[in-house]
Amino acid sequence: MSDSHSDGGGCTEHLVAVTEPEVEALVRGICFKTGPPRTVGVELEWLVHELRQPQLTVTPERLEAAYAALRAVSLGSALTVEPGGQLELSSPPAASLMECIGTVSADLDTVRAVLAEAGLGLVGIGHDPWHAPRRFLHQPRYDAMEACLDRNGPAGRHMMCASASVQVCVDAGHEEPGPLGHRRRWWLAHQLGAVLVAAFANSPLVGQRPTGWKSTRQLVWMEIGAGRAGGPPLDGDPRAMWARHVLDSPVMCVRREHGPWEVPDGLTFREWARTGSPRPPTRADLDYHLTTLFPPVRPRGHLELRMIDAQPGDDGWIVPLAVTAALFDDPAAAETAYRIVKPLAERALNLPAPHNPLWADAARLGLADPELRDAATVCFGVALEALPRLGASRQVVDAVAVHLDRYVARGRCPADDLLDGSHRTDRHRSGPAAGTRTAHGRKDIRT
């Protein structure tokens, strides 16, 4: 969820006000950088817990001391901290899948060694199953974010402080049409995204109780709302539709050099540019606004796929990275994936992700949904065929094959392992599961 940002200095940069047409032109120009796909990247968010007893709370003082030690070591990836104290590693753009895996794996070895000295470890789960959301970072950005998201209920705090993900970054693609064209890749990311949600769902618990969703993390994003965490319609030019979405999305905050930031209610960036109130927006404000939008696929020159839950095990993150890279960057695999997920698009009812029935079913049911299971089975199979063509090692190919056999072929996802363990430990307990039914039949997260 984190982005490169400034909590104050950015307010004095690019001070010239921008007009509505200028905003649209800027967004169209910076968010899709087309060309042959050559690079891949990954951003890994981790929960940080007691090494031996993850259900125990880690004090802010211990987290701060551990992060101070991490800042003193050399890493190839950027290291940032999320509002709830989650740790994120963001790889540099890599020229190959194996280069990306090598860089991040070495960084994770270093990070784990430093954390272990403090008695801490990394846990790969999409939503913290033990602890209520608690903010670790107290900065103007996160004060404003919390105030803004609280208007829609508790989901925002869960997203900020209790969630973790694997975010795969791929190039936008060719300007020309075809399997690697940017229009096709943009569409594929949103339809294949539901399959990735289901195949890698790994957040079924809140407060150590089942929520009724295989990916509670994805439920959290849905509850935040379409203006903040939704995507644009897919029935037009990607650049034009994204620019319109950016302009029509609500402004999270108006930054100030001194004092708390203003958190307007319902002010879109389009309205801000037209009225110039409470002050005229600048290019720096636009740049910042882009970092406060959290769609499942975010165009940042490249495409950032944000829908995958954090994965179990030290190296579980490699599987979604490898599968996604294969399905996007190998032309034959990309063409097959497109044909396989095309029928699924009908279930989306032309509604933007993730606020449509297809994505909701993926998050709630995982691969217990027969159509999603069938699509995932084919996609994993073609990814396995494509990975050697991308230079993947035998270990990477084997890891994908193991996930296919253990989960996909059986209609399971990592969340089912957590639920199996929860059922064993909870066999003699009574009482309702975490959450209450909403008018739509789904469960809200626990406050």
Side-chain angles (χ1 to χ4, degrees), residues 170-225:
V170 297
D171 286 333
H174 291 282
E175 189 68 28
E176 299 78 15
L180 302 185
H182 76 284
R183 288 174 180 255
R184 171 76 66 86
R185 286 162 77 86
W186 177 245
W187 185 92
L188 179 63
H190 288 85
Q191 309 304 339
L192 180 63
V195 179
L196 298 175
V197 169
F200 297 109
N202 188 38
S203 53
L205 306 174
V206 172
Q208 303 185 62
R209 303 297 300 276
T211 64
W213 292 68
K214 298 293 179 70
S215 178
T216 303
R217 174 182 165 274
Q218 189 59 53
L219 169 63
V220 165
W221 287 109
M222 293 168 61
E223 295 286 354
I224 287 171

Side-chain angles (χ1 to χ4, degrees), residues 397-411:
V397 174
D398 287 347
V400 173
V402 167
H403 193 102
L404 172 60
D405 292 340
R406 179 176 179 178
Y407 295 116
V408 178
R410 302 179 184 183

